[in-house]
Amino acid sequence: MYWEKEETLPRKELEELQLKRLKWVVRHVYDNVPFYREALKQRNVHPDDIKKLEDISKLPFTTKEDLRANYPFGLFAVSLDKVVRIHTSSGTSGKPKVVGYTASDIERWANMVARCLYMVGVRKGDIFQNISNYAFFTGGLGFHMGAEKLGAVTIPAGVGNTERQVQCMVDFGTTVIHSTPSYALHLKEVAEEMGVIDKIKLKMGCFGAEPWSENTRKRLEDAFGIKAYDSYGLSEMNGPGVAFECQEQEGLHIWIDHYFVEVVDPKTGERLSDGEKGELVLTTLTKEAMPLLRYRTGDVTFLIDDECSCGRTHPKIHRIIGRTDDMIIVRGINVFPSQIEHVLMRIPEVGDNFQVVITRKGSLDELKVRVELKDELFTGELSDLERIVQKIQKELQKELNLRAEVELVEKGTIERSTGKAKRVLDLRGEL
Ligand code: DLL
């Protein structure tokens, strides 16, 4: 039923385990990472002050800037002869974030990913095509190790050459794929063009590394005849495997035996209650090489802590709503790209690709949404096009409280990406 016994531990036992591990990690960083020793001293906190789980609020936050300031190895808590792997993740600016792993970090990470895959029903004998970048990105090797550990037939497909990916799915009888949701939509498009979508035997897909909406899920599930599961993680917390949907598809179980989870008000840092939307803050409880205290992920979500019928006792997070830094403010109104995706993907005439362009005319922000139309719905009649534009505009206005210009473009116009899609083009600074 379960991959590891920790998945169903009674909550009280989980919390005891968390406290033991929290004490360990605070001691570990205090003894071995000058940055943390200094930060703890500044707040007058000593490892012995951690006596109960609530004491976590005494600890300082860690930010992406702290990672960059300590580039490359300044936050490592072990010497390099104990580090067996390095991954990096590049943000929008500056130096990449570097993360290190000991051999046992790698072992735990592989088990966490295996735990997630097992949860959605991947088993020995499944053919797992890992359509993910295998270089610095954690999605490639992370999923690879997890799938292999579980005993699935693992194909290190990497990214790109979409026709070959599709052919491989057909020829090998792939039953499970992992990719970003935006690339999966592209795979679907190419499989349709090749006329082989019916020859694909997929049972499920694991999609993540970027935000996606419930309506995109529906499109993927319908096109491939699969169940599509949301997979969340970040390099700073090992990579994928931090939180994952179970077969109920009602939120992502977040593994609290390895991560202490808080949701805070992004402005004040105050802890929020279950159900309240805020920034996800994670503390690693088991990482040896690069432990992080109260890491500000920048991801916006809320906690769902009800009993799940799958039997797992770990709480869930709602699918990521957006990032504290991808919120666009247009004419004073907060807009998350995920809201736009949510609206577009439920309109049948709209294709799978879109782009948001923000410009400034004089002192006014302009929001333009470029939308690809579905081929089969493109009649070429001007009045039809006008009707679709108005429909999209109306739906966007309802969701965003904002007027958006809508530009219809032909299928294939918007650039496809093999990894994380870049949906927003903010040109306000450049004009
Ligand atoms: O994206 C790790 C990963 C690989 C996750 C494969 C899932 C599958 P980074 O490149 O460090 O690591 O990017 C992490 O991506 O803070 C989120 O903003 C975003 N992200 C990841 N998963 C999801 C998701 C990997 N399911 C950053 N939904 C995170 C929304 C996601 N956003």
Side-chain angles (χ1 to χ4, degrees), residues 235-296:
S235 321
E236 300 89 309
M237 298 286 134
N238 288 313
V242 175
F244 218 90
E245 279 180 325
C246 65
Q247 296 184 23
E248 305 297 324
Q249 295 180 308
E250 278 174 359
L252 294 81
H253 285 286
I254 183 154
W255 304 123
I256 61 171
D257 52 337
H258 294 291
Y259 305 100
F260 191 90
V261 182
E262 299 170 273
V263 173
V264 307
D265 178 325
K267 289 207 186 76
T268 62
E270 285 298 312
R271 186 143 173 204
L272 301 173
S273 325
D274 293 356
E276 286 186 307
K277 222 188 276 178
E279 180 178 357
L280 184 68
V281 171
L282 298 173
T283 299
T284 62
L285 295 175
T286 51
K287 266 170 71 137
E288 294 173 344
M290 204 178 109
L292 293 174
L293 301 184
R294 305 190 82 201
Y295 184 67
R296 305 284 297 246

Coordinates of all heavy atoms in Angstrom, one line a residue, residues 235-296:
S235 N 14.8 23.0 -5.9 CA 16.2 22.5 -5.8 C 16.7 22.7 -4.3 O 17.4 21.8 -3.8 CB 17.2 23.3 -6.6 OG 16.6 23.6 -7.9
E236 N 16.4 23.8 -3.7 CA 16.8 24.1 -2.4 C 16.4 23.1 -1.4 O 17.0 22.9 -0.3 CB 16.4 25.5 -1.9 CG 16.8 26.6 -2.8 CD 15.8 26.9 -3.9 OE1 15.4 26.0 -4.7 OE2 15.4 28.1 -4.1
M237 N 15.3 22.4 -1.7 CA 14.8 21.3 -0.8 C 15.0 19.9 -1.5 O 14.1 19.1 -1.6 CB 13.3 21.5 -0.6 CG 12.9 22.8 0.1 SD 13.4 22.8 1.9 CE 14.2 24.3 2.0
N238 N 16.1 19.7 -2.1 CA 16.5 18.5 -2.8 C 16.1 18.6 -4.3 O 16.9 18.4 -5.2 CB 15.9 17.2 -2.3 CG 16.5 16.8 -1.0 OD1 17.8 16.8 -0.8 ND2 15.7 16.5 0.0
G239 N 14.9 19.0 -4.5 CA 14.4 19.0 -5.9 C 12.9 18.4 -5.9 O 12.2 18.7 -4.9
P240 N 12.5 17.7 -6.9 CA 11.1 17.1 -6.9 C 11.0 16.2 -5.7 O 12.0 15.7 -5.1 CB 11.0 16.4 -8.2 CG 12.4 16.1 -8.6 CD 13.2 17.2 -8.1
G241 N 9.7 15.9 -5.3 CA 9.5 14.9 -4.2 C 9.2 15.6 -2.9 O 9.0 14.9 -1.9
V242 N 9.1 16.9 -2.9 CA 8.7 17.6 -1.6 C 7.2 17.4 -1.4 O 6.8 17.1 -0.2 CB 9.0 19.1 -1.8 CG1 8.6 19.8 -0.5 CG2 10.5 19.3 -2.0
A243 N 6.4 17.6 -2.4 CA 4.9 17.4 -2.2 C 4.4 16.9 -3.5 O 4.9 17.2 -4.6 CB 4.3 18.8 -1.9
F244 N 3.3 16.1 -3.4 CA 2.8 15.3 -4.6 C 1.4 15.0 -4.3 O 1.0 14.7 -3.2 CB 3.6 14.0 -4.7 CG 4.0 13.6 -6.1 CD1 5.1 14.1 -6.7 CD2 3.1 12.8 -6.8 CE1 5.5 13.7 -8.0 CE2 3.4 12.4 -8.1 CZ 4.6 12.8 -8.7
E245 N 0.6 15.0 -5.4 CA -0.8 14.6 -5.2 C -0.9 13.1 -5.0 O -0.1 12.3 -5.6 CB -1.6 15.0 -6.4 CG -2.0 16.4 -6.5 CD -2.8 16.7 -7.7 OE1 -2.5 16.2 -8.8 OE2 -3.7 17.6 -7.6
C246 N -1.9 12.7 -4.2 CA -2.2 11.3 -4.2 C -3.3 11.0 -5.2 O -3.7 11.9 -5.9 CB -2.6 10.8 -2.8 SG -4.1 11.6 -2.2
Q247 N -3.9 9.8 -5.2 CA -4.9 9.5 -6.2 C -6.2 10.2 -6.0 O -7.0 10.3 -6.9 CB -5.0 8.0 -6.3 CG -3.7 7.3 -6.8 CD -3.8 5.8 -7.0 OE1 -4.9 5.3 -7.2 NE2 -2.7 5.2 -6.9
E248 N -6.4 10.8 -4.9 CA -7.6 11.6 -4.6 C -7.5 12.9 -5.4 O -8.6 13.6 -5.6 CB -7.7 12.0 -3.2 CG -7.7 10.8 -2.2 CD -8.9 9.8 -2.5 OE1 -9.9 10.3 -2.8 OE2 -8.7 8.6 -2.4
Q249 N -6.3 13.4 -5.8 CA -6.2 14.7 -6.5 C -6.8 15.9 -5.8 O -7.4 16.7 -6.5 CB -6.7 14.5 -8.0 CG -5.9 13.5 -8.8 CD -6.4 13.4 -10.2 OE1 -7.6 13.2 -10.4 NE2 -5.5 13.5 -11.2
E250 N -6.7 15.9 -4.5 CA -7.2 17.1 -3.8 C -6.2 17.7 -2.9 O -6.3 17.8 -1.7 CB -8.4 16.6 -3.0 CG -9.7 16.5 -3.8 CD -10.9 16.0 -3.1 OE1 -10.7 15.6 -1.9 OE2 -11.9 15.8 -3.7
G251 N -5.1 18.2 -3.5 CA -4.0 18.8 -2.8 C -2.8 17.9 -2.8 O -2.9 16.7 -3.1
L252 N -1.7 18.4 -2.5 CA -0.4 17.7 -2.5 C 0.1 17.4 -1.1 O 0.3 18.3 -0.3 CB 0.7 18.5 -3.3 CG 0.4 18.8 -4.7 CD1 -0.5 20.0 -4.9 CD2 1.8 19.1 -5.4
H253 N 0.3 16.1 -0.8 CA 0.8 15.7 0.5 C 2.2 16.2 0.6 O 3.0 16.0 -0.4 CB 0.9 14.2 0.6 CG -0.5 13.6 0.9 ND1 -1.1 13.7 2.1 CD2 -1.3 12.9 0.1 CE1 -2.3 13.1 2.0 NE2 -2.4 12.6 0.8
I254 N 2.5 16.9 1.7 CA 3.9 17.5 1.8 C 4.5 16.7 2.9 O 3.9 16.5 4.0 CB 3.8 19.0 2.0 CG1 5.2 19.6 2.1 CG2 3.0 19.5 3.2 CD1 5.3 21.0 1.6
W255 N 5.7 16.2 2.7 CA 6.3 15.2 3.6 C 7.0 15.8 4.8 O 8.1 16.2 4.8 CB 7.4 14.3 2.8 CG 6.8 13.7 1.6 CD1 7.2 13.8 0.3 CD2 5.6 12.8 1.5 NE1 6.4 13.1 -0.5 CE2 5.4 12.4 0.2 CE3 4.8 12.3 2.5 CZ2 4.4 11.6 -0.2 CZ3 3.8 11.4 2.1 CH2 3.6 11.1 0.8
I256 N 6.2 15.9 5.9 CA 6.6 16.6 7.1 C 7.7 15.8 7.9 O 8.2 16.4 8.9 CB 5.4 17.1 7.9 CG1 4.6 15.9 8.5 CG2 4.6 18.1 7.2 CD1 3.6 16.3 9.5
D257 N 8.0 14.6 7.6 CA 9.1 14.0 8.3 C 10.4 14.5 7.8 O 11.4 14.4 8.4 CB 9.0 12.4 8.2 CG 8.9 11.9 6.8 OD1 8.4 12.7 5.9 OD2 9.3 10.7 6.5
H258 N 10.4 15.1 6.6 CA 11.6 15.7 6.0 C 11.7 17.2 5.9 O 12.7 17.8 5.8 CB 11.9 15.1 4.6 CG 12.1 13.7 4.6 ND1 13.3 13.1 5.0 CD2 11.4 12.6 4.1 CE1 13.2 11.8 4.9 NE2 12.1 11.5 4.4
Y259 N 10.5 17.8 6.0 CA 10.4 19.3 5.9 C 9.4 19.8 6.9 O 8.3 19.3 7.1 CB 9.9 19.7 4.5 CG 10.7 19.1 3.4 CD1 10.3 18.0 2.7 CD2 12.0 19.7 3.1 CE1 11.0 17.4 1.7 CE2 12.7 19.1 2.0 CZ 12.3 18.0 1.4 OH 13.0 17.4 0.4
F260 N 9.8 20.8 7.7 CA 8.9 21.5 8.5 C 8.2 22.6 7.7 O 8.9 23.4 7.1 CB 9.6 22.1 9.8 CG 8.6 22.6 10.8 CD1 8.2 21.7 11.8 CD2 8.1 23.8 10.7 CE1 7.2 22.1 12.7 CE2 7.1 24.2 11.6 CZ 6.7 23.4 12.6
V261 N 6.9 22.6 7.8 CA 6.1 23.4 6.8 C 5.4 24.6 7.6 O 4.8 24.4 8.6 CB 5.0 22.6 6.2 CG1 4.2 23.4 5.2 CG2 5.6 21.4 5.5
E262 N 5.6 25.8 7.1 CA 4.9 26.9 7.6 C 4.3 27.7 6.3 O 4.9 27.7 5.3 CB 5.8 27.9 8.3 CG 6.4 27.3 9.6 CD 7.5 28.3 10.1 OE1 8.7 28.2 9.7 OE2 7.2 29.1 11.0
V263 N 3.2 28.4 6.5 CA 2.7 29.3 5.5 C 2.7 30.7 6.2 O 2.1 30.8 7.3 CB 1.3 28.9 5.0 CG1 0.8 30.0 4.1 CG2 1.4 27.6 4.2
V264 N 3.3 31.7 5.7 CA 3.4 33.0 6.4 C 2.9 34.1 5.5 O 2.9 34.0 4.3 CB 4.9 33.3 6.8 CG1 5.5 32.2 7.6 CG2 5.8 33.6 5.6
D265 N 2.6 35.2 6.1 CA 2.2 36.4 5.4 C 3.5 36.9 4.8 O 4.5 37.2 5.5 CB 1.7 37.4 6.4 CG 1.3 38.7 5.8 OD1 2.0 39.1 4.8 OD2 0.3 39.3 6.2
P266 N 3.5 37.0 3.4 CA 4.8 37.4 2.8 C 5.3 38.8 3.2 O 6.5 39.0 3.2 CB 4.5 37.4 1.3 CG 3.0 37.2 1.2 CD 2.4 36.8 2.5
K267 N 4.4 39.6 3.7 CA 4.9 41.0 4.1 C 5.4 41.0 5.5 O 6.5 41.5 5.8 CB 3.8 42.0 4.0 CG 3.4 42.3 2.5 CD 2.8 43.7 2.4 CE 2.3 43.9 1.0 NZ 1.0 43.2 0.7
T268 N 4.7 40.4 6.4 CA 5.1 40.5 7.8 C 5.9 39.3 8.3 O 6.5 39.4 9.4 CB 3.8 40.6 8.7 OG1 3.1 39.4 8.6 CG2 3.0 41.8 8.3
G269 N 5.8 38.2 7.6 CA 6.5 37.0 8.1 C 5.7 36.2 9.2 O 6.1 35.2 9.7
E270 N 4.5 36.8 9.5 CA 3.7 36.1 10.6 C 3.1 34.8 10.0 O 2.7 34.7 8.9 CB 2.5 37.0 10.9 CG 2.8 38.2 11.8 CD 3.3 37.8 13.1 OE1 2.7 37.0 13.8 OE2 4.4 38.4 13.5
R271 N 3.1 33.8 10.9 CA 2.5 32.5 10.5 C 1.0 32.6 10.3 O 0.3 33.2 11.2 CB 2.9 31.5 11.6 CG 2.5 30.1 11.3 CD 3.5 29.2 11.8 NE 3.1 27.8 11.6 CZ 3.6 26.8 12.3 NH1 4.4 27.1 13.3 NH2 3.2 25.6 12.1
L272 N 0.5 32.0 9.3 CA -0.9 32.0 9.0 C -1.5 30.6 9.4 O -0.8 29.6 9.5 CB -1.2 32.2 7.5 CG -0.6 33.6 7.0 CD1 -0.8 33.7 5.5 CD2 -1.3 34.7 7.7
S273 N -2.8 30.6 9.5 CA -3.5 29.3 9.9 C -3.8 28.5 8.6 O -3.8 29.0 7.5 CB -4.8 29.6 10.6 OG -4.8 30.7 11.4
D274 N -4.2 27.3 8.9 CA -4.6 26.4 7.7 C -5.7 27.1 6.9 O -6.6 27.8 7.5 CB -5.3 25.1 8.3 CG -4.3 24.3 9.0 OD1 -3.1 24.6 9.0 OD2 -4.7 23.2 9.6
G275 N -5.6 27.0 5.6 CA -6.6 27.6 4.7 C -6.3 29.0 4.4 O -6.9 29.6 3.4
E276 N -5.4 29.7 5.1 CA -5.0 31.1 4.7 C -3.9 31.1 3.7 O -2.9 30.5 3.9 CB -4.6 31.8 6.0 CG -5.8 32.2 6.9 CD -5.4 33.1 8.1 OE1 -4.4 32.7 8.8 OE2 -6.0 34.1 8.2
K277 N -4.1 31.9 2.7 CA -3.2 31.9 1.6 C -1.9 32.7 1.9 O -2.0 33.8 2.5 CB -3.9 32.6 0.4 CG -3.6 32.0 -0.9 CD -4.2 32.9 -2.0 CE -5.6 32.6 -2.2 NZ -6.2 33.6 -3.3
G278 N -0.7 32.2 1.7 CA 0.5 32.9 2.0 C 1.7 32.3 1.4 O 1.6 31.4 0.5
E279 N 2.9 32.7 1.8 CA 4.1 32.1 1.3 C 4.5 30.8 2.0 O 4.6 30.8 3.2 CB 5.2 33.2 1.4 CG 6.5 32.7 0.8 CD 7.6 33.8 0.9 OE1 7.3 34.9 1.3 OE2 8.8 33.4 0.5
L280 N 4.9 29.8 1.2 CA 5.3 28.6 1.8 C 6.8 28.7 2.3 O 7.6 29.2 1.6 CB 5.3 27.5 0.7 CG 5.6 26.1 1.2 CD1 4.5 25.5 2.1 CD2 5.7 25.2 -0.1
V281 N 7.0 28.3 3.6 CA 8.3 28.4 4.2 C 8.7 27.1 4.7 O 7.9 26.4 5.4 CB 8.3 29.4 5.4 CG1 9.6 29.4 6.2 CG2 8.0 30.9 4.9
L282 N 9.9 26.6 4.3 CA 10.2 25.2 4.6 C 11.6 25.1 5.3 O 12.5 25.9 5.0 CB 10.3 24.4 3.3 CG 9.0 24.2 2.5 CD1 9.3 23.6 1.1 CD2 8.0 23.5 3.3
T283 N 11.6 24.2 6.3 CA 12.9 24.0 7.0 C 13.3 22.5 6.7 O 12.4 21.6 6.9 CB 12.7 24.2 8.5 OG1 12.3 25.5 8.7 CG2 14.0 23.8 9.2
T284 N 14.5 22.3 6.2 CA 14.9 20.9 6.0 C 15.1 20.2 7.3 O 15.8 20.8 8.2 CB 16.2 20.8 5.2 OG1 17.2 21.4 5.9 CG2 16.0 21.5 3.8
L285 N 14.6 19.0 7.5 CA 14.8 18.3 8.8 C 15.8 17.2 8.7 O 16.3 16.6 9.7 CB 13.5 17.7 9.2 CG 12.4 18.8 9.6 CD1 11.1 18.1 9.9 CD2 12.9 19.6 10.8
T286 N 16.2 16.8 7.4 CA 17.1 15.6 7.3 C 18.3 15.9 6.4 O 19.1 15.0 6.2 CB 16.3 14.4 6.8 OG1 15.6 14.8 5.6 CG2 15.3 13.9 7.8
K287 N 18.3 17.1 5.7 CA 19.4 17.3 4.8 C 20.7 17.5 5.6 O 20.8 18.4 6.4 CB 19.1 18.5 3.9 CG 18.5 18.1 2.6 CD 18.0 19.3 1.9 CE 19.1 20.0 1.4 NZ 19.3 20.6 0.2
E288 N 21.8 16.8 5.1 CA 23.1 16.9 5.8 C 24.0 18.0 5.1 O 24.5 18.8 5.8 CB 23.8 15.6 5.7 CG 23.2 14.5 6.6 CD 23.9 13.2 6.3 OE1 24.7 13.0 5.4 OE2 23.6 12.3 7.2
A289 N 24.1 17.9 3.8 CA 25.1 18.8 3.1 C 24.7 20.2 3.1 O 25.5 21.1 3.4 CB 25.3 18.3 1.7
M290 N 23.4 20.5 2.8 CA 23.0 21.9 2.8 C 21.6 22.1 3.5 O 20.6 22.3 2.8 CB 23.0 22.4 1.4 CG 23.2 24.0 1.4 SD 23.3 24.6 -0.3 CE 21.7 25.5 -0.4
P291 N 21.6 22.1 4.8 CA 20.3 22.3 5.5 C 19.9 23.8 5.4 O 20.8 24.6 5.3 CB 20.7 22.0 7.0 CG 22.2 21.7 7.0 CD 22.8 21.9 5.7
L292 N 18.6 24.0 5.4 CA 18.2 25.4 5.3 C 17.1 25.6 6.4 O 16.2 24.8 6.5 CB 17.6 25.8 3.9 CG 18.6 25.8 2.8 CD1 17.9 26.0 1.5 CD2 19.7 26.9 3.0
L293 N 17.2 26.7 7.1 CA 16.2 27.0 8.1 C 15.2 28.0 7.6 O 15.6 29.0 7.0 CB 16.9 27.7 9.4 CG 17.9 27.0 10.1 CD1 18.4 27.8 11.3 CD2 17.5 25.6 10.5
R294 N 13.9 27.7 7.7 CA 12.8 28.6 7.4 C 13.0 29.3 6.0 O 13.1 30.5 5.9 CB 12.6 29.6 8.5 CG 12.4 29.0 9.8 CD 11.9 30.0 10.9 NE 10.5 30.3 10.8 CZ 9.9 31.4 11.3 NH1 10.7 32.3 11.8 NH2 8.6 31.6 11.2
Y295 N 13.1 28.5 5.0 CA 13.5 29.0 3.7 C 12.2 29.6 3.0 O 11.2 29.0 2.9 CB 14.1 27.9 2.8 CG 14.5 28.4 1.5 CD1 15.6 29.3 1.4 CD2 13.8 28.0 0.3 CE1 16.0 29.8 0.1 CE2 14.2 28.5 -0.9 CZ 15.3 29.4 -1.0 OH 15.7 29.9 -2.2
R296 N 12.4 30.8 2.6 CA 11.2 31.5 1.9 C 11.2 31.1 0.5 O 11.9 31.5 -0.4 CB 11.5 33.1 2.0 CG 11.7 33.6 3.4 CD 10.4 33.7 4.2 NE 9.5 34.6 3.6 CZ 9.1 35.8 4.1 NH1 9.5 36.1 5.3 NH2 8.2 36.5 3.5

